[in-house]
Amino acid sequence: MSHNLNLKKLSFLIYGLGSTGRSVVKYLKRKKIRDFFVWDDNTKLRKKFGYNKTFKLKDIIKKVDYIVLSPGISLKKTKHKSKLIKFKKKIITDIDLLYLSNVKFKSVVVTGSNGKSTTCKIVTHLLKKNKFKVKLGGNIGTPVLNLKIKKNDFIVIEASSFQLSHSKFIHPSYALLLNITNDHIDWHGSKASYVKSKFKIFKLQKRKDFALLNNKLLSTFKEKKFSSKLISINFKKYEKIKLKIKNYYLKSCINDENMSFVYALSMLLKIKESSFIKSMNSFLG
């Protein structure tokens, strides 16, 4: 699928007007893209954000090129699920729009059942301390389209399985899949669908990109024959470094998995071991 679409020639329906949906509205206006419509099942929100009474939802869903769906909306539960499921191929996310922008940036996308937010914060701290131009967003709080991204920035993104489930353009420079447990099965419908959504983080990566995941998930990655360079995460590689870290929050066993990923990423980014340790010692949990 092409990553070089001309957004101004496309039409959009923004479905869901929470913080993510509102960030999409602002983004499209900022890009001077006028051919878009808004919808929320909440009538007051529809009116507030420029809902046009003259259009019918079923007609607009059929007409537009893409439907930007907010991450909290489940196709199994939303009021208009039948209409959305019929045109599921059109559904994308706010993160997809970021990757369709013309800005040249590098990205670290983190997903997993547990530890995403903590890992994103540690990675962001590490990069800042080592003079990278870095911004943090996604499921962690700030919608990615609200970030002011400049050329060569590093964007750290927390991606939920909800976002990845509908993604069609996400292609991280560094993709981290921390773990998978029985979580959000009701939203996805099955464990298989949940796992599939998580592994979409690697689907569009290229040979120059890196995929970081723990040993338990290697077989699934290899079966899919993804293009990116596989980096297997083994706690033993981090274990020796852990002894040198004085930050008791990060030395807690609960952070061993998160820290193993961060350490592996630091090596890929050619951050010196001494700088890694110094950065970790100054991190506030």
Side-chain angles (χ1 to χ4, degrees):
M1 188 173 287
S2 172
H3 298 160
N4 298 308
L5 300 180
N6 186 340
L7 297 184
K8 290 185 178 180
K9 292 183 178 180
L10 300 173
S11 56
F12 301 89
L13 168 66
I14 302 161
Y15 196 107
L17 292 167
S19 60
T20 299
R22 294 196 296 271
S23 74
V24 177
V25 172
K26 291 178 182 176
Y27 177 79
L28 294 181
K29 286 181 177 179
R30 205 159 63 238
K31 292 289 184 181
K32 295 183 170 41
I33 297 167
R34 295 183 174 85
D35 196 3
F36 70 86
F37 305 84
V38 297
W39 180 269
D40 194 284
D41 292 343
N42 183 316
T43 308
K44 289 182 179 179
L45 276 178
R46 286 206 300 271
K47 291 178 179 178
K48 185 177 179 181
F49 288 92
Y51 167 63
N52 186 338
K53 289 183 179 180
T54 61
F55 80 73
K56 293 183 179 179
L57 183 63
K58 64 177 183 179
D59 295 332
I60 293 302
I61 287 178
K62 187 176 180 180
K63 173 189 173 183
V64 296
D65 295 301
Y66 289 106
I67 302 164
V68 187
L69 190 70
S70 289
I73 296 174
S74 169
L75 292 187
K76 295 176 176 61
K77 296 180 180 180
T78 189
K79 184 178 178 181
H80 299 283
K81 60 183 181 181
S82 60
K83 298 182 183 72
L84 290 170
I85 290 171
K86 185 177 179 181
F87 293 96
K88 191 176 179 180
K89 289 183 178 180
K90 293 184 177 185
I91 295 176
I92 60 172
T93 70
D94 62 316
I95 301 178
D96 286 314
L97 286 176
L98 174 66
Y99 280 95
L100 288 172
S101 71
N102 292 322
V103 181
K104 302 295 181 184
F105 61 87
K106 288 188 177 293
S107 58
V108 179
V109 180
V110 181
T111 193
S113 301
N114 304 298
K116 296 187 295 295
S117 296
T118 301
T119 302
C120 284
K121 288 175 182 177
I122 299 171
V123 168
T124 303
H125 178 80
L126 173 69
L127 297 183
K128 282 182 178 179
K129 288 294 180 181
N130 286 277
K131 310 301 180 186
F132 289 84
K133 296 177 182 177
V134 59
K135 293 180 175 69
L136 170 65
N139 196 53
I140 196 168
T142 304
V144 293
L145 296 180
N146 282 350
L147 300 173
K148 294 180 180 178
I149 299 170
K150 297 178 181 178
K151 187 177 179 181
N152 298 324
D153 279 355
F154 257 84
I155 315 302
V156 179
I157 301 171
E158 179 185 327
S160 70
S161 58
F162 310 145
Q163 291 164 313
L164 291 171
S165 177
H166 300 303
S167 71
K168 291 179 175 63
F169 298 100
I170 296 175
H171 53 284
S173 312
Y174 303 87
L176 283 62
L177 174 50
L178 306 178
N179 48 57
I180 295 180
T181 61
N182 290 324
D183 200 5
H184 303 306
I185 304 303
D186 57 336
W187 194 97
H188 291 278
S190 68
K191 176 71 178 290
S193 294
Y194 177 54
V195 172
K196 184 179 179 181
S197 72
K198 290 294 188 186
F199 273 85
K200 282 184 76 175
I201 197 173
F202 309 116
K203 188 175 180 181
L204 296 180
Q205 282 191 299
K206 299 176 182 178
R207 289 183 180 180
K208 64 179 181 179
D209 301 321
F210 294 91
L212 289 73
L213 64 168
N214 66 41
N215 291 336
K216 295 178 182 178
L217 302 173
L218 294 183
S219 58
T220 305
F221 182 92
K222 291 175 181 176
E223 285 171 10
K224 301 288 185 182
K225 296 181 179 179
F226 295 116
S227 299
S228 49
K229 297 173 185 175
L230 174 60
I231 306 296
S232 173
I233 303 302
N234 191 324
F235 172 64
K236 290 182 179 179
K237 292 180 181 179
Y238 165 67
E239 202 167 18
K240 293 179 181 178
I241 302 300
K242 182 181 178 181
L243 297 173
K244 300 178 183 180
I245 294 173
K246 305 301 180 184
N247 187 327
Y248 290 102
Y249 173 77
L250 294 181
K251 283 174 74 73
S252 167
C253 292
I254 198 170
N255 273 312
D256 284 348
E257 184 173 60
N258 303 334
M259 288 296 292
S260 296
F261 275 84
V262 177
Y263 178 58
L265 178 64
S266 76
M267 289 192 290
L268 291 175
L269 295 174
K270 294 180 171 48
I271 294 172
K272 292 180 181 179
E273 185 179 297
S274 58
S275 295
F276 173 81
I277 294 168
K278 186 178 180 180
S279 301
M280 295 302 97
N281 283 338
S282 64
F283 177 78
L284 297 175

